[in-house]
Amino acid sequence: MIIETFITTIFQQNTRVLACEDTRRAVCIDPGAAADTIAEFINVNNLNLQAITLTHAHLDHIGGVSDLHKIFPQAEIILHKDDEVLYYNLPAQPLLMGIPRGELKALGLEYETPPTLTRNWRDGEIYAVGNLRFKILHCPGHAPGHVILAEENLRKVFSGDCLFAGSIGRTDLPGGDYEQLINSITDKILPLGDDLIVYTGHGEDTTIERERTTNPFLTGYQITQGKFA
Ligand SMILES: [Fe+2]
């Protein structure tokens, strides 16, 4: 699998292009901004962008969808239905976060309404990208419609803002729920297996084993639940 990471916004979000080396089929996970840079990588490497695959609809993950879709209009745009309200209200998201209207342009946070979604993720679906197979798992808590993409054959998971190296996603934004997030991680992400490499939405890569055994949000929970191993 080709994995290229782009840090495109002031939020240090990890945008990624994933591609099947054999077929050159590709997706872009969470284009935060900088569509020109992403498009150049896709074109220089002779990749065929089949979809913009969104883990959730916070502004730092979808701010580049409009521009990228203008360059690759054939690419599908896929998001879980429970994040559609956030998606179509992208222009208002910075204001909801408390950023003054007068500062939006200077911060690169002045957005148009993003293009219409092609379809919604279904929990448990297997999504093919050439020879790659991603299992889509609905993991609410950070955002209501958050999904993760797990390539179990290649032992990699793209966790968005559910799980970070040493931390977890914030749950204070609209639709966030701490208990739900902990349950998503412990019931859906950790069971994928200790050896999986975790590609997170912000910060460095990690592994499930490292987070299961050292992430303070998870070790504390497992002790209280009697699950600590
Ligand atoms: Fe987020």
Side-chain angles (χ1 to χ4, degrees):
M1 186 190 325
I2 296 168
I3 303 174
E4 185 74 9
T5 301
F6 306 84
I7 296 175
T8 61
T9 70
I10 57 171
F11 300 98
Q12 301 290 300
Q13 184 268 354
N14 292 321
T15 293
R16 291 197 171 87
V17 171
L18 312 181
C20 168
E21 290 179 61
D22 301 327
T23 64
R24 315 309 287 178
R25 302 283 293 181
V27 294
C28 180
I29 298 185
D30 293 353
D36 288 351
T37 306
I38 299 165
E40 183 182 351
F41 176 82
I42 289 168
N43 290 330
V44 164
N45 289 283
N46 295 315
L47 303 179
N48 176 3
L49 187 74
Q50 70 179 35
I52 297 168
T53 50
L54 302 172
T55 63
H56 66 297
H58 286 153
L59 58 88
D60 52 329
H61 294 252
I62 67 167
V65 171
S66 275
D67 287 347
L68 191 61
H69 197 254
K70 284 172 190 158
I71 302 170
F72 300 103
Q74 82 290 352
E76 297 190 316
I77 309 171
I78 315 174
L79 175 74
H80 192 279
K81 67 174 169 36
D82 291 353
D83 260 25
E84 279 195 8
V85 172
L86 276 170
Y87 180 84
Y88 289 115
N89 284 287
L90 172 62
Q93 282 196 41
L95 305 174
L96 292 172
M97 293 174 69
I99 298 169
R101 191 179 291 276
E103 293 179 18
L104 297 185
K105 196 176 180 103
L107 293 170
L109 301 178
E110 209 172 42
Y111 299 115
E112 59 185 74
T113 300
T116 304
L117 295 166
T118 311
R119 71 172 178 91
N120 297 124
W121 293 122
R122 291 182 303 277
D123 183 38
E125 78 170 276
I126 304 295
Y127 181 72
V129 182
N131 297 327
L132 307 174
R133 296 287 179 273
F134 293 94
K135 183 187 277 185
I136 308 299
L137 295 172
H138 184 211
C139 290
H142 171 70
H146 198 300
V147 303
I148 62 165
L149 297 84
E151 217 304 353
E152 292 184 285
N153 298 325
L154 299 179
R155 312 306 288 160
K156 299 177 195 303
V157 59
F158 298 85
S159 68
D161 288 0
C162 287
L163 181 61
F164 301 128
S167 189
I168 62 173
R170 60 190 287 188
T171 54
D172 58 316
L173 295 170
D177 185 311
Y178 182 82
E179 277 300 314
Q180 211 175 32
L181 178 56
I182 293 290
N183 288 336
S184 289
I185 295 169
T186 55
D187 295 347
K188 291 197 163 171
I189 301 180
L190 299 189
L192 291 169
D194 273 354
D195 60 310
L196 263 74
I197 298 173
V198 183
Y199 295 84
T200 65
H202 298 261
E204 66 189 70
D205 308 337
T206 183
T207 65
I208 293 211
E209 180 178 30
R210 182 174 147 196
E211 298 316 308
R212 185 180 62 76
T213 56
T214 67
N215 187 313
F217 291 92
L218 305 181
T219 54
Y221 174 82
Q222 290 172 98
I223 290 168
T224 60
Q225 299 294 307
K227 293 181 181 173
F228 189 72

